[in-house]
Amino acid sequence: MAEISLRRARTMIRKALEHARGAEFKPMAVAVLDSGGNLIAFEREDGASPGRYEIARGKAYGAVMLGMPGSAQMARAEAQAYFVACANGALGGGMIPVPGGVLVKDSKGRTMGAVGVSGDASENDAAAAKAGIEAAGLSAED
Amino acid sequence: MAEISLRRARTMIRKALEHARGAEFKPMAVAVLDSGGNLIAFEREDGASPGRYEIARGKAYGAVMLGMPGSAQMARAEAQAYFVACANGALGGGMIPVPGGVLVKDSKGRTMGAVGVSGDASENDAAAAKAGIEAAGLSAED
Amino acid sequence: MAEISLRRARTMIRKALEHARGAEFKPMAVAVLDSGGNLIAFEREDGASPGRYEIARGKAYGAVMLGMPGSAQMARAEAQAYFVACANGALGGGMIPVPGGVLVKDSKGRTMGAVGVSGDASENDAAAAKAGIEAAGLSAED
Amino acid sequence: MAEISLRRARTMIRKALEHARGAEFKPMAVAVLDSGGNLIAFEREDGASPGRYEIARGKAYGAVMLGMPGSAQMARAEAQAYFVACANGALGGGMIPVPGGVLVKDSKGRTMGAVGVSGDASENDAAAAKAGIEAAGLSAED
C-alpha cells in the first residue's frame, strides 16, 4: 500500500483550507496522519485557538486507529458512551469522536491514514477534510 | 493452578482466527493474557486497524483483572457508568467493557487468564474468542 | 507583539527543508510553535521516521517554554542533568534538550515562538531551523 | 512500501524462538511492530517473566519511531543520557534503548517495522531478532 506522501498531505491541507475560506468557516486547523497514526503535516490558521492541534489530531487519530471515521465514532459514543470513554483510555487519551476525522482510502479501499479538521461546526470540519482528500486524488470516508 | 502455556495460547489464537475466517468476520486481533493480566501472545490480521491491539488487550485485561467477562462488564457499565469509568481509572485506563473479553477457566472453574478479540461486532468477537478457548480444551466464560 | 502568522510558519518550514535538501541532510521534520508553546505548522519529509514529530516538537517546546534554545538546554543538561530531568517532568515530558530547538525573535528581541527540527545530526538540524527563520525575515537564537 | 504481513511476522517470531532454543538462551519474548509502531504479533515463552512484553515492545518501538536500532540508541544513551531520557518522555515512556530492538528493512533499505526481543543478554536478544528477520526473507539492522 502506498503511503501518503508529504506532497499529497500538503495538497490535502491547502485544499481543505481553501474549502473553509470559500465557505466562510471559522479559522481552522488541519492534521494529516499516516496509516500508523503518526503526524505527517499540520497547519493552524491565524485566529484559530491554540488547542486546535490537539482536537484536529485527535479526530484523525481515533479514525485511523479504529478504522472508523468520526461520524461512526460519534454514533457509537451516543449508543455506548462507556465504550468510547474506555477506547480513549486504551488509545492514550487522544480520541475526539465527532465528525471531522475522515479516513483516507486508496483505490482498493485500504486505509492510508486520516485527516482531522477542527475549527467550525463538526459537519463543516468534515466537509473541509473531505474536500482536501478528494482534491489529492484519494477517497474520503467521513 | 496451571498457567496457560504459549502452546495453548497459540492454539486459542489460531482457532479464534479460523472461526472468524469461517464466519467471514472483518479482520481481527486476538490477545491472550495470563492470570496476572500480562500478555502471552497476540496476533493482528492483515487489514485490521492499528489500534486493534489496544482494544483486544483491553477487553481481556478488564476481564481478568475484575474476574468478570466483557458481557458482565457491559451490564455493569449500563447500570453504573461511573463505576466502570472509575474502575478503568484505577486499572490504568486499559479496560474495554464490552463482549469480546472472555475468561479462560480450568476444569475446577478457576480463572487462568482471558482472551480478548476485536475487529467485528462485539458479539462476533466474543464468539471467536470462545471458539479459540474451547479448541484449546479449556472452558470459556463470556 | 506580533505572532508568527501561518504564512510565515510555512516559509520557515519550506526554507528549512530547502536548506536540508541543499546540504543533503537526512529526511527531516520541522515544527513551528507559537509564543505559548502551541503548534502552528509541521511537516515530515518522506522517509523520516514516524517519531520525528515528537522529537522536533520537543526541541521547539522546551525552547519556547524555558526561553532557552536547544544548545543552552544541552549545556545545562551536561552541567545539571537532574535539573533538566525535573524541568522535563514539570513540562509534561516533552522537552528534547539538544540543538535543533531554535528561538524565533522579533526585531526587539522578544520571543515569538520556536522552530524545532529533527532528522540529521543536532547541529545540522539547528542550521536548517536557523535558515528557515531567517528566510522569514526574523531572528534566530540557536 | 509493503507492510509486514501477519504471515511474515509469525515466521519472524517462530525463527527467533528457534534460534533462542538452539542457543539455549533464557525464555524469551518477541514483538513485531509495523512501520507506524503498532503491534502485529507477540509471543512470550513459558518461564519468561510477565513484564517481558513491555521490554520487548519498547525495544522495537524506540527503534521504529526513531529509525535507529537498539545498539545505536544505547550508544546515544551512553554519550547523552539526557537526550534518551527526554526522547523517551516525548515517545510516551515506551523506549528501551539497548540491543534487541532490530529494524526490519525491505530490499530498498526502507524501514518496514521492527522486532524487539527480551529475555537473555541484550546481544543474544538482538541475535535472535536478526535470525527471525532474515528467516522471513528481509534485512535486519541491529
Side-chain angles (χ1 to χ4, degrees):
Chain A
M1 182 182 63
E3 291 289 326
I4 298 171
S5 64
L6 175 56
R7 187 188 185 87
R8 258 182 163 159
R10 283 177 183 149
T11 299
M12 290 179 195
I13 291 177
R14 194 177 67 240
K15 294 296 183 178
L17 293 178
E18 279 182 21
H19 180 95
R21 286 312 109 240
E24 302 192 347
F25 293 162
K26 292 180 191 164
M28 298 237 142
V30 185
V32 182
L33 269 57
D34 67 18
S35 63
N38 298 297
L39 191 66
I40 301 172
F42 172 78
E43 289 190 0
R44 171 164 57 100
E45 291 188 299
D46 301 343
S49 58
R52 288 289 155 205
Y53 165 68
E54 283 75 10
I55 305 299
R57 183 264 181 191
K59 288 185 179 185
Y61 187 69
V64 75
M65 294 305 279
L66 299 178
M68 194 188 292
S71 54
Q73 292 176 57
M74 185 169 75
R76 187 73 185 262
E78 290 180 349
Q80 280 189 299
Y82 56 88
F83 172 78
V84 169
C86 289
N88 189 36
L91 292 175
M95 284 176 65
I96 302 289
V98 296
V102 180
L103 291 170
V104 179
K105 300 274 189 169
D106 69 13
S107 59
K108 295 186 179 168
R110 293 172 300 196
T111 299
M112 298 175 73
V115 174
V117 174
S118 179
D120 203 283
S122 295
E123 295 69 27
N124 292 341
D125 294 343
K130 198 176 173 186
I133 295 166
E134 292 175 350
L138 295 166
S139 299
E141 180 184 343
D142 68 341
Chain B
M1 182 183 64
E3 291 289 326
I4 298 171
S5 64
L6 175 56
R7 186 186 186 87
R8 260 182 162 160
R10 282 177 183 150
T11 300
M12 290 180 195
I13 291 176
R14 194 176 67 240
K15 294 296 183 178
L17 293 178
E18 280 182 21
H19 180 95
R21 285 313 107 240
E24 302 193 347
F25 294 161
K26 292 181 192 164
M28 296 238 142
V30 185
V32 182
L33 268 58
D34 67 18
S35 61
N38 298 296
L39 191 67
I40 301 172
F42 172 78
E43 288 190 1
R44 171 164 56 101
E45 290 188 299
D46 301 344
S49 61
R52 289 290 152 206
Y53 165 68
E54 284 77 9
I55 305 300
R57 182 264 179 190
K59 289 185 179 185
Y61 187 69
V64 76
M65 294 306 279
L66 300 177
M68 194 189 290
S71 55
Q73 292 176 58
M74 185 169 77
R76 188 73 184 263
E78 289 179 350
Q80 280 189 299
Y82 57 87
F83 172 78
V84 168
C86 290
N88 190 35
L91 291 173
M95 285 175 64
I96 301 290
V98 296
V102 180
L103 290 169
V104 179
K105 300 275 190 170
D106 69 12
S107 59
K108 295 186 179 167
R110 293 174 300 197
T111 298
M112 299 175 73
V115 174
V117 175
S118 179
D120 203 283
S122 295
E123 296 68 27
N124 293 340
D125 294 343
K130 198 175 172 187
I133 294 166
E134 292 175 349
L138 294 166
S139 298
E141 181 184 342
D142 68 341
Chain C
M1 182 183 64
E3 292 289 326
I4 298 170
S5 63
L6 175 56
R7 184 186 188 88
R8 260 181 161 159
R10 282 176 183 150
T11 299
M12 290 179 196
I13 292 176
R14 194 176 66 240
K15 295 295 183 178
L17 294 178
E18 280 182 20
H19 179 95
R21 285 314 107 239
E24 302 193 348
F25 294 161
K26 291 181 192 165
M28 297 238 143
V30 184
V32 182
L33 269 58
D34 66 19
S35 62
N38 297 297
L39 191 66
I40 302 172
F42 172 78
E43 290 190 359
R44 172 164 55 101
E45 290 188 299
D46 301 344
S49 61
R52 289 289 152 206
Y53 165 69
E54 283 76 11
I55 305 301
R57 182 262 181 193
K59 289 184 180 185
Y61 186 70
V64 75
M65 294 306 279
L66 299 178
M68 194 187 292
S71 54
Q73 293 175 58
M74 186 169 75
R76 187 73 184 262
E78 290 179 352
Q80 281 188 300
Y82 56 88
F83 171 77
V84 168
C86 290
N88 191 35
L91 291 174
M95 284 174 66
I96 301 290
V98 296
V102 179
L103 290 170
V104 179
K105 300 275 189 171
D106 68 13
S107 58
K108 296 186 178 167
R110 292 172 300 197
T111 298
M112 299 174 74
V115 173
V117 175
S118 179
D120 203 283
S122 295
E123 296 68 28
N124 292 340
D125 295 343
K130 198 176 172 186
I133 294 166
E134 292 175 349
L138 295 165
S139 299
E141 181 184 342
D142 67 341
Chain D
M1 183 182 61
E3 291 289 326
I4 298 172
S5 65
L6 175 56
R7 185 187 187 87
R8 259 182 163 160
R10 282 177 184 149
T11 298
M12 290 180 196
I13 292 177
R14 194 176 67 242
K15 295 296 184 179
L17 293 178
E18 280 182 21
H19 180 95
R21 286 312 108 241
E24 302 193 347
F25 294 161
K26 291 181 193 165
M28 297 237 143
V30 185
V32 182
L33 269 59
D34 66 20
S35 62
N38 298 297
L39 191 66
I40 302 173
F42 172 78
E43 288 190 1
R44 171 164 55 101
E45 289 188 300
D46 302 343
S49 60
R52 288 289 154 205
Y53 164 69
E54 282 76 10
I55 305 300
R57 182 264 181 192
K59 289 185 180 185
Y61 186 69
V64 76
M65 294 305 278
L66 299 179
M68 193 187 292
S71 55
Q73 292 175 58
M74 187 169 73
R76 186 74 185 261
E78 290 180 350
Q80 280 188 300
Y82 55 87
F83 172 78
V84 169
C86 289
N88 189 36
L91 291 174
M95 283 175 67
I96 302 288
V98 295
V102 180
L103 291 170
V104 179
K105 300 272 189 172
D106 68 13
S107 58
K108 295 186 180 168
R110 293 173 298 195
T111 298
M112 299 174 73
V115 173
V117 174
S118 178
D120 204 283
S122 295
E123 295 68 26
N124 292 341
D125 294 344
K130 199 176 171 187
I133 294 165
E134 292 175 350
L138 295 166
S139 299
E141 181 184 343
D142 68 340

